[in-house]
Every structure is written in structure tokens, then in C-alpha cells.
């Protein structure tokens, strides 16, 4: 009995191995299949940008144009007695905006008018006496000089009176009024801000390391700067400063704005300056490119399988990135989402 029992025990592992082999032979071989989303290689015009922030301002004075904004200042000390404008009002050049207390000026004018009247009568008598040779030339000249001085004093008094009436130096919109009637103002006190709303531009501060790529006439896309906002205005670079601000390490750049742009002075904006354009370049969505060990790859689809292909990435513009590589053509199908988990070559299943 013992030899038989030993034989049965020895044959048991062999039977188990045979049984597993038979089962494996009956089952079909499982193939790896990865679910992905796909896209195509396309040709696109890509851009390189310099990003910066800026503030809406009135255009500064140039060689042939005056400034588009003005700080309306008091020409002398006085009391504000009349306001002829309100904030938001459009005014024409030369329109009366404010008036200071004129009582002292009116008194000087009245005094000067009396002096002129006296000097005129005195000079008229001297002229009559001259006709009959009853007056010396010296007295005649003194009377004439007295009349000229009185007339000049009257002119000066009227000029001082006119200075108390503050007028608009340009046509535009009153954007702010800083004083009320009855308040005292001093020399050069700013009473109001006046801006020509059709002549606004963007004062942009560009980091000095990026300013080398800027050129006059380059396009600028302007948005409000809020998250997800799209460009709402197109402008062009009209000025590039030659000096770097040592406090901010930035260069002042100005971009034009179209009339009726909808922007307001002082508004903060985001600016994207186009410094390079590359037309007709092969491009793919950025999520279709994966980098492993310093090598960039995309997965090109052939039938129901995908094979990784080495590419050289180039300029990125938004969600697209420029690519180049051997055998790449427009219209080739590629894996977009799911590419990170792919082996070098595998079967795929396209998600709808």
C-alpha cells in the first residue's frame, strides 16, 4: 500500500499543472485597450505675446496735437462764487466753467474808468491850449502820458477781471469737480478735470526684459483684466519709452484706443501685445503633448491603435502648441485626452 500511495502523491502536482494548462489554452488572449479622446493635427496662425497691465489715460500732447486732458486750475486766490458745469457734462472750448469773487476786480475797474475819464479831459484841455501856444510841450507830454497810463491801468484791471472767469481750454467732458460754491481756492488749485473722451490711450508698463521685442505699430489686444475676459478692443503701439523706471524695472509704452471705446480714464486694463506671428504652422491641443525624460511625444492614431511619436514643440498660443517632426502632416488623427496613460503602442477605444 505504501508504494501506491507515494505514486499518487507524486502525480498530483503534474495533474494540477496539466489542468491549468488546459484551461489557459481554452481561454482567448486578452488585449490591452485604452479609452481616449481624439483630435487632428491642424494648420494655424500662432502668435507670441507680451503680457502687461495698463491704465486708460487722456492722450498726451504731441508735436501737432494738444493734450486730450486738462486740470482746470484757479489762476489766483479767491472765493468760488459760480459753477457753470456739472460732472459728466460735455463742454466746448472756451465755455465758462467757474467764476471767482469779482467784487475787488469790479472796484478796480470802476476806479480805473474814473482815472481814464479824468485823464481824457485833462489831455483835451492841453490840446486846446497847444493850439493857441498857451502851454509848454512838457505839460502836453505829461498829460498824454497820464492818459496812456490810465488806459493801461484800465486794461490791466479788466484782464484781472477776466481771469476770475475760468473757461474750458479744450472741448471735452467734465469728469470731476473738486470744489463747491463758497469755498476758498488758492493759486493753481485744481477745480475740475476735463477730458476729450474721443482721444484716450493706454499707458502700459512693460517689464524691461520683454521690452526689447516691442516695435511701433504692433497690435495690442485690450481687455478689462477680469478672469476669463476676452479682448474687447484692438489698438496699436504709438509710443515706446527709452528709459527704464528704476523703481519698477518697467518701460512706459502707449497704445492707441478707438473712438467711443467705452473705456473711462483711470480704468485698469490687461494688454496683450502681439510681438510675433507664425502663419500656417502645424499645431495640436496642448493636452495632446506629453513629456517623458525630456522628450516630447504625441500619440498618432492608425486604425484602432495609437503609437507614440517624438515631436519638437514650438510656440504656444492659448490651447494650441506648434509641433514639428518627421512624418507629421495636417489632418493626422491624434490622441488628445488620455495620452498620459498610453504605452508606446496600444489598442485604443475612442470615447464619444
Amino acid at each position: 500500500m505504501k508504494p501506491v500511495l507515494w505514486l499518487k502523491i507524486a502525480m498530483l502536482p503534474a495533474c494540477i499543472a496539466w489542468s491549468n494548462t488546459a484551461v489557459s489554452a481554452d481561454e482567448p488572449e486578452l488585449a490591452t485597450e485604452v479609452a481616449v479622446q481624439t483630435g487632428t493635427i491642424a494648420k494655424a496662425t500662432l502668435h507670441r505675446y507680451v503680457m502687461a497691465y495698463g491704465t486708460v489715460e487722456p492722450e498726451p500732447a504731441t508735436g501737432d496735437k494738444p493734450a486730450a486732458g486738462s486740470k482746470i486750475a484757479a489762476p489766483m486766490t479767491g472765493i468760488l462764487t459760480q459753477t457753470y458745469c456739472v460732472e459728466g457734462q460735455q463742454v466746448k472750448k472756451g465755455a465758462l466753467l467757474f467764476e471767482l469773487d469779482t467784487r475787488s476786480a469790479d472796484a478796480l475797474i470802476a476806479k480805473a474808468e474814473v482815472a481814464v475819464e479824468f485823464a481824457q479831459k485833462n489831455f483835451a484841455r492841453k490840446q486846446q491850449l497847444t493850439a493857441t501856444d498857451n502851454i509848454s510841450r512838457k505839460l502836453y507830454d505829461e498829460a498824454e502820458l497820464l492818459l496812456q497810463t490810465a488806459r493801461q491801468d484800465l486794461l490791466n484791471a479788466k484782464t484781472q477781471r477776466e481771469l476770475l472767469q475760468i473757461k474750458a481750454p479744450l472741448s471735452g467732458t467734465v469728469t470731476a469737480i473738486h470744489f463747491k460754491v463758497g469755498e476758498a481756492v488758492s493759486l493753481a488749485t485744481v477745480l475740475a478735470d476735463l477730458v476729450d473722451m474721443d482721444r484716450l490711450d493706454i499707458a502700459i508698463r512693460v517689464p524691461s526684459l520683454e521690452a526689447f521685442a516691442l516695435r511701433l505699430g504692433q497690435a495690442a489686444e485690450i481687455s478689462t483684466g477680469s478672469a476669463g475676459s476676452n479682448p474687447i478692443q484692438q489698438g496699436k503701439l504709438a509710443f515706446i519709452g527709452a528709459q527704464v523706471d528704476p523703481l519698477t524695472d518697467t518701460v512706459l509704452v502707449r497704445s492707441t484706443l478707438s473712438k467711443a471705446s467705452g473705456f473711462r480714464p483711470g480704468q485698469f486694463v490687461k494688454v496683450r501685445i502681439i510681438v510675433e506671428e507664425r502663419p500656417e504652422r502645424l499645431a495640436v491641443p496642448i493636452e495632446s503633448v506629453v513629456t517623458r525624460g525630456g522628450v516630447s511625444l504625441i500619440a498618432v492614431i492608425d486604425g484602432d491603435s495609437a503609437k507614440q511619436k517624438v515631436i519638437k514643440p514650438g510656440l504656444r498660443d492659448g490651447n494650441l502648441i506648434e509641433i514639428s517632426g518627421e512624418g507629421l502632416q495636417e489632418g493626422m488623427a491624434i490622441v488628445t485626452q488620455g495620452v498620459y496613460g498610453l504605452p508606446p503602442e496600444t489598442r485604443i477605444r475612442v470615447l464619444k
Side-chain angles (χ1 to χ4, degrees):
M1 293 297 292
K2 289 183 178 180
V4 175
L5 180 60
W6 175 255
L7 178 62
K8 289 181 178 180
I9 293 173
M11 291 177 63
L12 183 60
C15 292
I16 294 173
W18 175 84
S19 175
N20 290 339
T21 303
V23 172
S24 299
D26 292 339
E27 291 181 354
E29 183 179 353
L30 296 176
T32 303
E33 187 178 73
V34 180
V36 298
Q37 292 185 358
T38 64
T40 58
I41 299 176
K43 283 189 176 181
T45 298
L46 304 177
H47 301 92
R48 185 164 67 90
Y49 303 96
V50 167
M51 311 295 292
Y53 293 91
T55 306
V56 180
E57 294 182 355
E59 289 182 2
T62 58
D64 57 344
K65 288 183 179 181
S70 177
K71 300 286 186 181
I72 309 301
M76 60 181 63
T77 300
I79 303 296
L80 185 61
T81 57
Q82 291 289 337
T83 299
Y84 297 98
C85 60
V86 295
E87 290 185 359
Q89 179 181 346
Q90 293 185 350
V91 297
K92 296 293 185 181
K93 181 178 181 179
L96 183 60
L97 303 179
F98 303 99
E99 188 172 73
L100 302 181
D101 187 359
T102 62
R103 288 175 295 179
S104 297
D106 291 338
L108 289 175
I109 290 175
K111 183 178 179 180
E113 287 175 341
V114 171
V116 168
E117 183 180 1
F118 173 80
Q120 285 176 336
K121 292 179 178 179
N122 181 55
F123 182 63
R125 288 195 299 270
K126 297 301 188 287
Q127 284 180 318
Q128 293 175 354
L129 293 174
T130 301
T132 58
D133 295 328
N134 290 327
I135 187 174
S136 66
R137 185 65 187 181
K138 180 181 179 181
L139 291 177
Y140 179 86
D141 292 341
E142 289 177 351
E144 185 178 22
L145 179 60
L146 181 63
L147 178 58
Q148 292 175 352
T149 301
R151 286 174 175 172
Q152 186 62 48
D153 290 343
L154 177 60
L155 180 61
N156 292 340
K158 289 182 177 180
T159 300
Q160 289 293 103
R161 174 66 166 78
E162 290 179 359
L163 290 176
L164 298 175
Q165 293 183 324
I166 303 167
K167 300 179 180 180
L170 55 90
S171 297
T173 301
V174 179
T175 58
I177 296 177
H178 305 295
F179 280 82
K180 298 178 181 179
V181 171
E183 292 183 329
V185 297
S186 57
L187 179 65
T189 297
V190 176
L191 302 177
D193 298 330
L194 181 62
V195 177
D196 183 350
M197 302 297 286
D198 289 334
R199 294 178 54 210
L200 300 177
D201 69 5
I202 309 291
I204 312 164
R205 286 290 177 178
V206 177
S208 61
L209 293 179
E210 297 184 274
F212 74 93
L214 303 181
R215 301 290 184 272
L216 292 177
Q218 286 176 334
E221 299 175 347
I222 304 159
S223 61
T224 57
S226 57
S229 62
N230 294 319
I232 57 177
Q233 273 289 326
Q234 296 285 337
K236 290 185 177 181
L237 297 192
F239 172 81
I240 301 174
Q243 187 173 355
V244 176
D245 186 335
L247 297 179
T248 61
D249 194 33
T250 57
V251 175
L252 175 62
V253 177
R254 290 189 177 275
S255 170
T256 60
L257 270 179
S258 62
K259 291 184 178 180
S261 64
F263 288 108
R264 293 290 181 267
Q267 189 171 356
F268 184 73
V269 294
K270 183 178 181 180
V271 183
R272 191 168 68 169
I273 304 169
I274 301 174
V275 297
E276 184 181 357
E277 182 176 278
R278 299 183 184 179
E280 294 295 307
R281 300 300 176 98
L282 294 179
V284 295
I286 188 67
E287 64 266 21
S288 64
V289 179
V290 61
T291 301
R292 292 173 181 164
V295 178
S296 295
L297 307 164
I298 62 171
V300 178
I301 298 173
D302 183 10
D304 60 352
S305 64
K307 184 177 181 180
Q308 290 183 346
K309 197 172 186 65
V310 177
I311 57 101
K312 180 181 179 181
L315 181 64
R316 179 176 176 177
D317 185 355
N319 191 45
L320 294 178
I321 185 169
E322 178 187 4
I323 63 169
S324 59
E326 184 178 354
L328 297 181
Q329 295 179 358
E330 180 184 10
M332 293 178 69
I334 58 171
V335 176
T336 54
Q337 296 186 18
V339 67
Y340 281 94
L342 292 181
E345 187 171 359
T346 184
R347 291 184 61 189
I348 59 170
R349 175 170 55 86
V350 178
L351 296 175
K352 301 297 184 181

